[in-house]
């Protein structure tokens, strides 16, 4: 790069300007050619459809869906305020696709968090000095990576989740976790009767301070913000904390209260988390082994244990290295949510299939689905790249 810059500076200004302009013109010509090809392809498809009496239109999105979904919410307005309500057949096809997208995002975001934690533990376990732990982690990674994800989803759904006991016979784990064939039920949050404007305001202030604490740099400002957030939480508790814990209670056909996860989402989430964790584990293991072994030896010479070395020296460096690879894994697992159609989970692709079957608008629907997944991939990539730039930029400073 430095050689190229030196060559540019050695060229006379007029010729340098021509070279830069020619490079921009070449790139603009490539963009024009690609755009022309896309437009030509679109017009050709539209003309072919017109010859068969089929119009390319998105007008069907405003029509009534006239079908139901097992789960999913859609945006709506109640009293002028935006709210999320359960999907019903009276909603439009566009709202049905939104409900499918909502379900896909639920699984994708949960899987990103869970596979990062579980995969990191398995990756560390792959390098454990304990023979049993090391080989168990090796066996898990090899078994998961060498079988298709679709088969794993079917296995978790039919061989595990549907074999859970009925809801009224389900075991209550940790005082609030119910796992039954009707789904998994977790403790949720409920609005307290003591909630008031003051307590909500203090809770919102505490949340804003915590976000600022994460975003802003510098240890002293962070400590001040953290202390202010804790003070706001304590004040909210004193005036009447607006949220309370809502524990699920088993009934004959399910559970009452708490937060529920359907059997289909449970199986899909577990399958994607376990599958992605195997790949995350290999990413983490490779990054740990790529670090100089002298760091382990130097830590041992200072009297640090293996666990302290791993936690305080190795892992902080590993996460700076693995972020680009993790972005690829996150994008892949987001696209993997479309396999939920195999067990009837109403994700975006499944809902698209229902809408297209009812309206006959297969081409328009698949364009929407492809553009949506493309946008999700770009958003995930941009978020991870932003974190990567922030982490490594702070390290460079």
């Amino acid at each position: 790069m430095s050689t190229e810059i030196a060559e540019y500076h050695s060229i006379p200004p007029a010729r340098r300007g021509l070279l830069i302009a020619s490079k921009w013109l070449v790139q603009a010509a490539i963009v024009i050619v690609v755009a022309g090809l896309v437009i030509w392809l679109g017009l050709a498809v539209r003309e072919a459809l017109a010859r068969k009496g089929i119009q390319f239109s998105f007008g069907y999105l405003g029509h009534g869906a006239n079908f139901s979904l097992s789960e999913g919410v859609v945006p709506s307005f109640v009293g002028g305020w935006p709210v999320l309500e359960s999907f019903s057949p009276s909603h439009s096809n566009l709202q049905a696709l939104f409900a499918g997208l909502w379900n896909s995002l639920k699984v994708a975001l949960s899987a990103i968090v869970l596979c990062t934690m579980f995969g990191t533990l398995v990756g560390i376990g792959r390098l454990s000095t304990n023979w049993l732990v090391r080989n168990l982690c090796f066996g898990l990674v090899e078994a998961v990576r060498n079988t298709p994800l679709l088969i794993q989803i079917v296995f978790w759904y039919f061989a595990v989740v549907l074999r859970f006991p009925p809801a009224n016979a389900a075991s209550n784990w940790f005082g609030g976790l119910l796992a039954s064939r009707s789904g998994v039920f977790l403790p949720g949050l409920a609005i307290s009767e003591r909630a008031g404007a003051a307590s909500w305001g203090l809770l919102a202030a505490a949340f804003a301070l915590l976000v600022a604490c994460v975003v802003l740099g510098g240890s002293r400002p962070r400590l001040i913000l953290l202390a202010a957030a804790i003070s706001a939480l304590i004040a909210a508790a004193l005036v009447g904390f607006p949220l309370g814990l809502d524990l699920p209670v088993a009934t004959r056909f399910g559970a009452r209260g708490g937060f529920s996860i359907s059997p289909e989402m449970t199986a899909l989430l577990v399958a994607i988390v376990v599958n992605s964790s195997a790949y995350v584990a290999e990413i983490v293991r490779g990054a740990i082994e790529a670090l100089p072994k002298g760091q382990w030896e130097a830590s041992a010479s200072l009297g640090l244990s293996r666990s302290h070395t791993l936690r305080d020296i190795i892992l902080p460096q590993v996460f700076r290295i693995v972020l680009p690879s993790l972005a690829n894994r996150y994008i892949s697992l987001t696209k993997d949510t479309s396999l939920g159609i195999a067990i009837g989970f109403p994700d975006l692709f499944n809902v698209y299939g229902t809408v297209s079957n009812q309206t006959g608008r297969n081409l328009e629907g698949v364009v929407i689905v492809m553009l949506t997944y493309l946008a999700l991939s770009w958003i995930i990539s941009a978020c991870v790249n932003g974190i990567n730039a922030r982490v490594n930029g702070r390290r460079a400073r």
Side-chain angles (χ1 to χ4, degrees), residues 188-365:
L189 293 176
I191 297 177
S192 171
E193 296 178 353
R194 300 170 56 194
S199 58
W200 279 113
L202 288 168
L203 183 62
F207 180 75
L209 290 168
L210 286 175
V211 171
C213 178
V214 174
V215 173
L216 294 179
S219 57
R220 186 177 176 82
R222 282 185 171 183
L223 285 175
I224 295 173
L225 290 170
L226 185 60
I230 294 173
S231 302
L233 285 174
I234 293 173
L238 291 175
V239 300
F241 202 73
L243 297 175
L245 198 60
D246 186 18
L247 297 176
V249 178
T251 61
R252 184 176 180 183
F253 299 106
R256 183 181 65 256
F259 176 74
S260 63
I261 304 175
S262 68
E264 292 77 20
M265 179 175 168
T266 302
L268 181 63
L269 180 61
V270 171
I272 291 179
V273 167
V274 173
N275 182 273
S276 298
S277 296
Y279 292 94
V280 172
E282 287 303 277
I283 293 171
V284 171
R285 181 186 65 83
I288 292 176
E289 290 189 327
L291 293 175
K293 294 189 183 302
Q295 296 193 17
W296 291 95
E297 296 168 357
S299 301
S301 67
L302 292 173
L304 293 177
S305 65
R306 184 178 175 84
S307 60
H308 281 98
T309 304
L310 190 66
R311 185 189 62 197
D312 298 332
I313 298 175
I314 302 299
L315 283 183
Q317 299 178 76
V318 164
F319 282 111
R320 293 192 184 105
I321 299 171
V322 303
L323 279 173
S325 301
L326 288 181
N328 291 332
R329 190 62 239 160
Y330 296 159
I331 291 171
S332 295
L333 75 82
T334 301
K335 292 182 289 186
D336 288 342
T337 58
S338 61
L339 294 175
I341 192 174
I343 54 174
F345 179 69
D347 71 296
L348 177 61
F349 185 61
N350 192 351
V351 175
Y352 145 73
T354 305
V355 172
S356 62
N357 286 337
Q358 289 207 351
T359 61
R361 299 290 184 180
N362 298 303
L363 183 59
E364 295 91 333

